[in-house]
Amino acid sequence: GRGRGRGGGFFGASQAQLDNPHGSDLNKYLKPGAPKPEFRKSRAAEPTVEQIQGDTLTSLAKAYWAPGTRQTHQPFSSDVVDQIYNNDIKGSSFSIKRVMMLEFSQYLENFLWPNFTSTTASLSHLMSIVVIVNEKFRERVPAWTAFQLKPEQFTAFFHSALTWAVAEPGEICIGEQTKLVIFLDHCFCSMEVDLVRTQVQRLVSLPMWSCLLDARREAELKAIPKWKKYWKLLQKKDAKETPENLKKLQFERTFLSAMIQKFLTVLYTVQEKECPADIVDFVERFLILIIDLEALLPTRRFFNTVLDDSHLVVKASLAPLAMRPEGRLFSQLLEQVRFYTRFEINDQTGEPLSDKDMMSVHYARMSKLQRAVFVKYPELRSLALATIASIEDRDQLVKHFLSLTRDALYDICEYLHLVPVRNEEEGCKDEYTQQFLAELVISRHEKRDSQLTELNSMPLYPTEEFIWDENLVPGEYYQGENPLALPKLNLQFLTLHDYLLRNFKLFQLESTYEIRQDIEDVVGRLKPWRAEDGSVIFQGWARMAQPLQTFTIVEVAKPNIGEKQPSRVRADVIVHLGGGKDNIRQEWENLRRHDVCFLLTLRPPMAGTDRGFLDIPADEYCQTTGLMYVRGCEVEGMLDENGRVIEEFGSEPKPKFSSGNRTFRVLLDCNQYREDMDMTSQGGEDVYSSFNLILRRKPKENNFKAVLETIRDLMNTQCVVPDWLHDIILGYGDPASAHYTNMPNAIPELNFNDTFLDFGHLRASFPGYEVRVEGEAASLPSGQLLPPFRIGFEDIKARNLKRDQPGDDSAQIPRVLTVELVKVENRGPYPKNVPKKNTVRFTPTQVEAIRSGTNPGLTMVVGPPGTGKTDVAVQIISNLYHNFPEQRTLIVTHSNQALNQLFEKIMALDVDERHLLRLGHGEEALETEKDFSRYGRVNYVLAKRIELLDEVTRLQKSLGVVGDVAYTCETARYFYLYQILSRWEEYSAKLEQDQHKTKDMIADLFPFHVFFANAPSPLFHGSTYDEYYECAQSCWRYIQDVFTQLDEFWAFELLRSGLDRTRYLCVKEAKIIAMTCTHAALKRQELVQLGFKYDNILMEESAQILEIETFIPLLLQNPQDGTNRLKRWIMIGDHHQLPPVVKNMAFEKFSNMEQSLFTRLVRLNVPTIELDAQGRSRPSICSLYNWRYKALGNLPHVLNHTDYQTANAGFSFDYQLINVPDFNGVGESQPSPFFYQNLAEAEYVVAVYMYMRLIGYDASRISILTTYNGQKSLIRDVCNARCANNPLIGLPHKIATVDKYQGQQNDFILLSLVRTYNVGHLRDVRRLVVAMSRSRLGLYVFARVSLFKNCFELQPAFNILMKRPLQLHLCPNEVTPCKRIASVTAPNPVIVYDMPMMSKFVVDFYQNKVKELKVLQARHMVARPGEIKGQETGKGASRHPGEDRDSDDEAEGKNKYEEITNEVDNEEAAEVSGENKAAQALEKVFTQGEEQAEDQDKAQVEDEPQMETEDSSTVPPAS
């Protein structure tokens, strides 16, 4: 029994001696060698069921507001709000647990907000609302819904929140004010919500300049006349206001300024002695608010001046907190504020400033300072008359200004409008100290490096200080409660530079987090310790790391002109690969060029060897393990024994090595090397002589350096986004400006090719349009009007005219279509010349999406599950290919699997294969014999060339021409010009001379009869002259096509090397190029250097692609004359399904990194086309998720097809929510943190799966999904123990997490929701939508109903699910396929109450089946020897639509279950006949089955919950 190790013996007699709060022994489930679970950590922030039930909050909720309670609620009472606030929110010092429970019970929606009135509401009522809204943001669930339903009180509520935010310290505690600051920050980050925007805009508009110094305001207004005019108007308006109104307005205008003053007061309460945590929290949160205000153009425009005028940055940097260790995060945040206050942008126009512009701003300031000094302070004459370059450094300025007296400094600052005029400030001498004034002048005038220079001198690899800094790279348990010094991705960005920079930083930090995990894993496995003589010994072993033998730097090249760092640093690393296994040595030898490795220096402390390496806090990690240095390097190649780099694709045989040592040549980061050498020259240690370990990473996860280099390159090039996209990407301007109807180059007439199946389809596709048929076809009945159609859009014509000749705006735009028939030209006389056609009958919205995609501009298609997104994408590609043959289209997707689906559909349409190309590594999984990779396409072209030259030979022989004309494309070309074309022209001339138009002449004179002898005869058919003539023309087209292709292939003769040919293919020949977004990011530089060009981009799954990975593909080409030639950008995705995967919670939650560009554009109100008819699920199952979409209906086949009309055999219902109670007192468990499992659900799901297999369902039609990885591995273990080795059952098609299964589907889905204490991440509605929409015919959800039914976000789905019984209803007497109609409920079903009952039922059911089979199979099984194949391993049909071939299972040895061959030994095979052999095998199975049944009875007698016997080839689940 191999099973006992991983999956077996669940509740064996030997209970492990482990203090285990979860009852059962879960150790058996851990993989061998995994760390033992620690239960101390596993239950953070999650109340148990008993706590909840005994809790006062729950009883209050039941009485006053909880949904789903039977009795009517008691009337609102403000005392309840006060009591809850004082005891549970503020009283528990804002404990996350309590607030979570309140928010989850719909306290805000049902109690706080409906009863809020500004006149009577207390502070605790207001604060309760604020805290719950903050909690919603922390949980990332929609926060403003409740307010939008009852908006009238919002203005008053917001105003009183502002009032309390600036209240005096005695009235409100600092903790509460912190919560208000967080709330304000959330408001400023929700500018797309109209309700919120109208409130916050008032705080940051021009009137806020009333708090500037008068002199400063005058100077600023003078510079911008437009604003001066507004300011005067404002003053006139204010004169007419009533006093109380004016007071309110003044409050709003001075609010942020007052907040800054409050911040400074609070900040300076921290002196040398103590440093209260709540004050630090307040100042950090406030800085985050400032950063968010500064990083958005609409809020920054006027606020930046106010912020500058308040000198916040200077005052804060001089505060005592900045010097203290507690102030580390504070200083990092302040650095960010400083960065944004100096950002290179014109606040008024929003234009980015170049280095030159920044320089002139700097010079203007310096000369103003020199004038001030000259006027006010003659002693500093030398400073006033010096050249700017000699005084702009900080050191020079410090020398001049620190020696001045306070009064002199004050005069200079006053002249520069930086401080109030003398006579006004007598009272506040202490505020303007000499130190402060000097710092103010210096920091304002010092020369700063441009942001780009800083970025270019930054190392790309993280080092040890950076990797373990929790403020920048938080650990995995981030819950969203504490602030971090990270950039955020919100709705809008200041400039493209800002956009790229934020994405650069986040991408860098996210990859740093993964690198940290890899290093910690390796160090933990190696278990280093220090021997007596000080040498380091590695006691363990790690697959991904090797101790270094030697490390030598072999080249440090001279710096490039104008740079300080060396232009190249190369080193040799020697490792010993002698002792390990072959496959490990192979992996090391396979390190390719550009792979990134890390060099580590480990010096474990003498004492630190006995401590485990797991769970060391980040700030102590390096000290505890003795990790001194981490440096990245890039592999250039492995050296052979002569010291030469071995070429990767070289033709020479693999070199032989005499020893186990291998040398790798690596490139180091030049910037990092320079920094390290500077440290060494100042007496630091030489890092590069200390390395003793090299670490490699999985190639799939190791592309961070290439992506960072790509982003950095983009920032250094004049990166040009097309004009029509620029503002939309930054989030400004009219969101609809790039819609095709608003584009100046909208196309008024389009040939829709094979989009429409017939004229009726066309008419139905444009509801609301009048359709007119033009030309001769107008007289024909509509049945005779056959596609293709050319459609003219009168409304587009009218709009284009209006743009050119501005006239009467009220003129009605006509909604009229004109239709012309397009004559189809035959391509040749052979059957293979008939083009492939589209067979999909598109719906009107799909046609609108196709029309929009064929037009220039930005097209965004929202495709709910099963609405034919791929069909639309493929039709757009095909239409572009035919309408614009000279344009090239780039296809980008997130996964290889989506690319494969697209390619399989493109091949079914009329697109010539030679124009298709696929870049990247996923093409192996394409379901065709054809290879679309670069080399595959080159081979195709070369093979096709031979084939066409053979045709030319045939043509030559048929005409009796001598000589070797078909030797190359070039000779064929001359043959065409001299021999073929002349004959055709002669023939055409003769036909023209023929006056009588006799059709026989056409056939008689035709010169190529012999060549077309192999075409279907007769070659000429039809009754009229024109039809005969068309036949001749089609033959001529066929011949022309042969020579056109040979012309295209000529280049492949001239280019000899494979590389050149692939490049030519990529840059010139291919018209449709596909790649994944990762490939685009990795290879951008290479593509741009090749001169890659394209006109259109189509992105599939675009809501699953990270913002930056969506942006890079727009810039894979160099601009022509300063403009980007991109004409169309089509994005297809669904933001109601899951976002991109971000591994670290902090980046996902705090930085909003999971927001895709698609989702952001939807939030910005860019027009989208939402597909509205699904063809995947039964209408009943569709109702579980279609509430999330505007209007999602069903396609006709979902109603009419027999699959959808019949019921699911064996089940009463086509979907059911099945309640799973605790088993042995255990619900969910966590063997390790965040690794959630639920044994009852796992066993229940597998039992139902076995039941389905026994009544005849195919394994390939069933997938088992769950919401957690822990549960996935548990179900997999249970399946391996119960089903894998059983020929009657086998494994299901897929066992996967919901997140991994997005984009796939299957007929039947069994879904386990795992959690029993807390809803967890299923609260994200997007995950629910994906989970509910994976099944076509049957969905069975196993969950703890009492938990999920109360969740506000999930209610629409769970309310429908709960209308059906919550116990599983089975009809075991049915078999597949079922006869019962779907709407009929089965009579007297078997009702299953819980998991043990189901298991018992399946065992009995199985044994009955086996007995039936025994009789049947012995009769029918007449197999010849050797024909009995192993059981189906659950791989399913090879072309199943739901198959995910690039799943994450490669590592788990997915389909490697041993085949069950005959158990009769080979020697016997000679004597035993087939029948007897089969009978013996069967007998063996059945006797086991019966023994098992006896064992089962014994087990029940002994009252042992035995789960599995030794031989697991049959099925004995739990009783």
Side-chain angles (χ1 to χ4, degrees), residues 1347-1359:
L1347 171 70
F1348 289 95
K1349 70 175 184 197
N1350 289 337
C1351 180
F1352 181 64
E1353 288 76 22
L1354 309 182
Q1355 269 185 334
F1358 275 84
N1359 289 345

Side-chain angles (χ1 to χ4, degrees), residues 784-924:
Q784 288 177 25
L785 299 173
L786 296 176
F789 302 115
R790 170 184 290 285
I791 303 181
F793 296 94
E794 297 299 315
D795 48 349
I796 299 284
K797 290 179 189 165
R799 273 205 187 94
N800 289 353
L801 269 175
K802 206 170 192 176
R803 233 178 247 115
D804 304 336
Q805 311 157 353
D808 177 17
D809 271 357
S810 60
Q812 194 55 44
I813 287 182
R815 289 180 67 79
V816 176
L817 301 181
T818 57
V819 179
E820 287 174 55
L821 297 192
V822 180
K823 186 163 178 291
V824 186
E825 300 186 329
N826 281 332
R827 297 179 191 178
Y830 300 101
K832 65 176 180 188
N833 298 127
V834 178
K836 304 175 195 163
K837 284 210 171 64
N838 158 48
T839 52
V840 181
R841 186 172 282 277
F842 291 112
T843 64
T845 41
Q846 283 178 318
V847 170
E848 174 57 24
I850 292 167
R851 173 188 170 188
S852 172
T854 318
N855 265 297
L858 170 65
T859 300
M860 294 191 40
V861 181
V862 177
T867 50
K869 297 190 274 288
T870 316
D871 291 325
V872 170
V874 170
Q875 193 60 41
I876 292 176
I877 292 164
S878 163
N879 283 5
L880 289 173
Y881 173 81
H882 289 289
N883 272 310
F884 308 102
E886 72 295 337
Q887 293 188 8
R888 314 179 71 218
T889 303
L890 176 67
I891 303 175
V892 182
T893 65
H894 167 243
S895 65
N896 275 314
Q897 181 209 349
L899 260 190
N900 293 341
Q901 287 175 357
L902 260 172
F903 253 64
E904 281 160 29
K905 289 195 170 170
I906 291 177
M907 289 181 50
L909 286 179
D910 179 24
V911 172
D912 192 324
E913 257 188 68
R914 67 177 191 271
H915 293 140
L916 290 174
L917 171 66
R918 159 108 196 245
L919 301 178
H921 284 297
E923 65 273 349
E924 303 90 34

Side-chain angles (χ1 to χ4, degrees), residues 1317-1332:
Y1317 297 129
N1318 183 316
V1319 175
H1321 69 191
L1322 193 70
R1323 272 199 84 171
D1324 188 336
V1325 181
R1326 298 173 297 190
R1327 193 167 276 104
L1328 178 83
V1329 168
V1330 174
M1332 295 292 143

Side-chain angles (χ1 to χ4, degrees), residues 200-265:
V200 296
Q201 266 175 339
R202 298 182 188 160
L203 305 180
V204 288
S205 50
L206 180 63
M208 73 184 305
W209 277 13
S210 58
C211 27
L212 294 181
L213 298 174
D214 295 342
R216 172 81 187 260
R217 184 172 58 238
E218 283 315 308
E220 294 284 344
L221 287 172
K222 196 168 146 196
I224 306 171
K226 190 169 86 176
W227 290 356
K228 190 164 189 171
K229 208 164 75 186
Y230 285 146
W231 185 256
K232 284 183 177 154
L233 278 173
L234 269 170
Q235 287 172 311
K236 280 183 196 160
K237 229 166 114 187
D238 284 357
K240 298 176 191 159
E241 289 287 359
T242 59
E244 56 267 25
N245 254 8
L246 200 60
K247 191 178 163 199
K248 186 174 175 229
L249 284 172
Q250 266 321 96
F251 170 73
E252 283 174 353
R253 289 168 190 179
T254 54
F255 172 72
L256 283 169
S257 173
M259 282 298 282
I260 292 174
Q261 291 317 313
K262 182 178 182 61
F263 160 79
L264 292 170
T265 319

Side-chain angles (χ1 to χ4, degrees), residues 1062-1190:
T1062 59
R1063 286 179 170 168
Y1064 177 79
L1065 192 76
C1066 173
V1067 178
K1068 286 275 189 291
E1069 177 72 2
K1071 295 273 188 285
I1072 295 170
I1073 301 108
M1075 60 182 83
T1076 62
C1077 52
T1078 319
H1079 185 85
L1082 295 183
K1083 296 282 190 254
R1084 177 187 177 270
Q1085 212 172 354
E1086 204 177 294
L1087 288 167
V1088 169
Q1089 279 167 356
L1090 284 181
F1092 185 61
K1093 294 272 181 280
Y1094 53 93
D1095 305 86
N1096 313 308
I1097 290 188
L1098 181 134
M1099 286 186 183
E1100 258 267 39
E1101 308 180 300
S1102 45
Q1104 277 175 275
I1105 307 180
L1106 287 174
E1107 173 104 40
I1108 188 66
E1109 292 192 330
T1110 320
F1111 180 72
I1112 290 173
L1114 296 178
L1115 301 168
L1116 294 183
Q1117 55 188 349
N1118 273 329
Q1120 298 169 320
D1121 320 321
T1123 57
N1124 189 321
R1125 68 182 260 181
L1126 192 70
K1127 300 172 183 63
R1128 294 173 188 77
W1129 185 18
I1130 300 128
M1131 293 170 85
I1132 302 180
D1134 182 5
H1135 57 288
H1136 294 308
Q1137 293 182 55
L1138 284 165
V1141 180
V1142 176
K1143 288 198 178 152
N1144 186 323
M1145 298 288 277
F1147 302 124
E1148 183 186 326
K1149 288 187 168 167
F1150 183 87
S1151 299
N1152 199 15
M1153 192 177 171
E1154 59 156 30
Q1155 173 175 277
S1156 62
L1157 181 58
F1158 186 86
T1159 311
R1160 181 163 71 90
L1161 293 182
V1162 171
R1163 279 180 68 197
L1164 283 165
N1165 265 332
V1166 173
T1168 57
I1169 298 162
E1170 189 166 303
L1171 302 181
D1172 55 4
Q1174 66 90 27
R1176 175 184 296 170
S1177 310
R1178 293 180 188 272
S1180 57
I1181 295 176
C1182 179
S1183 65
L1184 297 172
Y1185 58 86
N1186 66 9
W1187 49 273
R1188 197 77 188 87
Y1189 298 94
K1190 285 190 197 113

Side-chain angles (χ1 to χ4, degrees), residues 184-418:
L184 274 176
D185 187 26
H186 289 322
C187 291
F188 277 111
C189 290
S190 304
M191 297 281 269
E192 81 271 28
V193 182
D194 305 340
L195 185 69
V196 183
R197 186 177 58 245
T198 46
Q199 298 305 321
V200 296
Q201 266 175 339
R202 298 182 188 160
L203 305 180
V204 288
S205 50
L206 180 63
M208 73 184 305
W209 277 13
S210 58
C211 27
L212 294 181
L213 298 174
D214 295 342
R216 172 81 187 260
R217 184 172 58 238
E218 283 315 308
E220 294 284 344
L221 287 172
K222 196 168 146 196
I224 306 171
K226 190 169 86 176
W227 290 356
K228 190 164 189 171
K229 208 164 75 186
Y230 285 146
W231 185 256
K232 284 183 177 154
L233 278 173
L234 269 170
Q235 287 172 311
K236 280 183 196 160
K237 229 166 114 187
D238 284 357
K240 298 176 191 159
E241 289 287 359
T242 59
E244 56 267 25
N245 254 8
L246 200 60
K247 191 178 163 199
K248 186 174 175 229
L249 284 172
Q250 266 321 96
F251 170 73
E252 283 174 353
R253 289 168 190 179
T254 54
F255 172 72
L256 283 169
S257 173
M259 282 298 282
I260 292 174
Q261 291 317 313
K262 182 178 182 61
F263 160 79
L264 292 170
T265 319
V266 171
L267 176 60
Y268 273 89
T269 56
V270 176
Q271 291 305 326
E272 274 69 49
K273 292 201 186 104
E274 75 294 330
C275 174
D278 52 356
I279 287 190
V280 178
D281 194 34
F282 174 79
V283 292
E284 287 169 352
R285 286 290 181 186
F286 186 79
L287 285 183
I288 286 182
L289 170 67
I290 297 285
I291 293 168
D292 285 344
L293 285 170
E294 281 282 286
L296 281 179
L297 190 60
T299 49
R300 165 195 182 97
R301 186 162 275 143
F302 303 106
F303 176 68
N304 194 27
T305 314
V306 173
L307 182 67
D308 186 61
D309 190 59
S310 68
H311 312 311
L312 175 134
V313 178
V314 177
K315 287 178 182 162
S317 62
L318 296 172
L321 177 61
M323 319 300 164
R324 301 177 56 116
E326 298 94 332
R328 177 127 194 260
L329 175 61
F330 171 77
S331 309
Q332 287 172 329
L333 288 166
L334 190 62
E335 206 36 61
Q336 271 193 314
V337 175
R338 180 178 285 132
F339 170 79
Y340 274 117
T341 50
R342 302 169 164 184
F343 197 82
E344 304 168 353
I345 183 175
N346 176 337
D347 289 338
Q348 177 210 349
T349 60
E351 293 295 315
L353 300 176
S354 63
D355 284 353
K356 201 170 156 193
D357 304 331
M358 289 306 283
M359 194 65 96
S360 56
V361 170
H362 168 66
Y363 283 158
R365 275 190 179 175
M366 285 303 287
S367 45
K368 196 169 173 191
L369 175 71
Q370 285 182 314
R371 278 201 300 279
V373 171
F374 189 78
V375 173
K376 293 276 181 190
Y377 209 73
E379 289 88 282
L380 271 185
R381 191 54 59 83
S382 62
L383 172 78
L385 298 177
T387 58
I388 289 184
S390 65
I391 53 168
E392 61 186 0
D393 285 347
R394 188 177 179 97
D395 309 342
Q396 296 290 335
L397 289 168
V398 167
K399 212 161 40 184
H400 285 297
F401 283 102
L402 271 184
S403 54
L404 291 186
T405 60
R406 175 185 174 280
D407 290 347
L409 278 168
Y410 197 93
D411 285 344
I412 292 171
C413 289
E414 186 189 319
Y415 182 85
L416 295 171
H417 310 311
L418 296 180

Side-chain angles (χ1 to χ4, degrees), residues 750-774:
L750 281 175
N751 177 355
F752 271 84
N753 215 23
D754 55 354
T755 309
F756 302 110
L757 304 185
D758 49 52
F759 188 71
H761 183 198
L762 181 148
R763 185 157 263 162
S765 297
F766 292 104
Y769 273 92
E770 180 193 333
V771 180
R772 294 186 195 146
V773 183
E774 300 272 312

Side-chain angles (χ1 to χ4, degrees), residues 1300-1507:
K1300 254 294 182 221
Y1301 205 68
Q1302 179 163 342
Q1304 302 169 60
Q1305 53 181 6
N1306 210 338
D1307 290 352
F1308 302 97
I1309 298 287
L1310 307 175
L1311 172 65
S1312 157
L1313 298 184
V1314 192
R1315 303 299 294 274
T1316 56
Y1317 297 129
N1318 183 316
V1319 175
H1321 69 191
L1322 193 70
R1323 272 199 84 171
D1324 188 336
V1325 181
R1326 298 173 297 190
R1327 193 167 276 104
L1328 178 83
V1329 168
V1330 174
M1332 295 292 143
S1333 60
R1334 296 304 98 199
S1335 73
R1336 291 178 56 228
L1337 304 171
L1339 172 68
Y1340 300 95
V1341 185
F1342 300 80
R1344 179 64 53 86
V1345 177
S1346 55
L1347 171 70
F1348 289 95
K1349 70 175 184 197
N1350 289 337
C1351 180
F1352 181 64
E1353 288 76 22
L1354 309 182
Q1355 269 185 334
F1358 275 84
N1359 289 345
I1360 302 173
L1361 284 168
M1362 287 172 59
K1363 288 181 181 152
R1364 296 190 173 176
L1366 299 177
Q1367 278 85 30
L1368 183 59
H1369 283 218
L1370 301 177
C1371 322
N1373 50 356
E1374 297 183 344
V1375 288
T1376 53
C1378 184
K1379 308 281 185 293
R1380 183 163 52 92
I1381 297 171
S1383 50
V1384 177
T1385 316
N1388 44 25
V1390 174
I1391 298 177
V1392 181
Y1393 289 99
D1394 56 5
M1395 185 272 286
M1397 177 172 168
M1398 183 69 197
S1399 296
K1400 174 91 177 69
F1401 171 76
V1402 170
V1403 171
D1404 301 344
F1405 193 64
Y1406 176 78
Q1407 277 158 3
N1408 295 339
K1409 278 279 174 206
V1410 168
K1411 282 183 184 131
E1412 290 169 27
L1413 282 175
K1414 201 182 213 171
V1415 182
L1416 272 177
Q1417 231 158 334
R1419 254 184 249 153
H1420 295 298
M1421 209 159 142
V1422 192
R1424 287 179 199 80
E1427 276 192 356
I1428 297 175
K1429 286 283 196 296
Q1431 97 282 19
E1432 166 141 302
T1433 54
K1435 278 191 283 191
S1438 65
R1439 291 201 188 192
H1440 191 276
E1443 189 155 358
D1444 164 7
R1445 299 183 203 80
D1446 57 350
S1447 122
D1448 52 350
D1449 302 346
E1450 287 105 358
E1452 301 175 26
K1454 190 164 104 183
N1455 295 324
K1456 292 190 185 142
Y1457 301 107
E1458 310 79 65
E1459 283 210 342
I1460 297 186
T1461 42
N1462 263 329
E1463 303 194 2
V1464 186
D1465 290 322
N1466 289 345
E1467 302 86 20
E1468 296 179 356
E1471 302 92 296
V1472 184
S1473 74
E1475 293 93 324
N1476 295 349
K1477 213 170 180 183
Q1480 282 176 1
L1482 261 174
E1483 195 55 42
K1484 203 161 181 179
V1485 172
F1486 298 141
T1487 49
Q1488 284 166 358
E1490 281 152 15
E1491 286 162 18
Q1492 220 104 38
E1494 288 161 23
D1495 291 358
Q1496 203 75 35
D1497 299 344
K1498 276 185 208 156
Q1500 280 170 3
V1501 173
E1502 293 163 25
D1503 206 39
E1504 269 293 335
Q1506 166 126 352
M1507 282 294 213

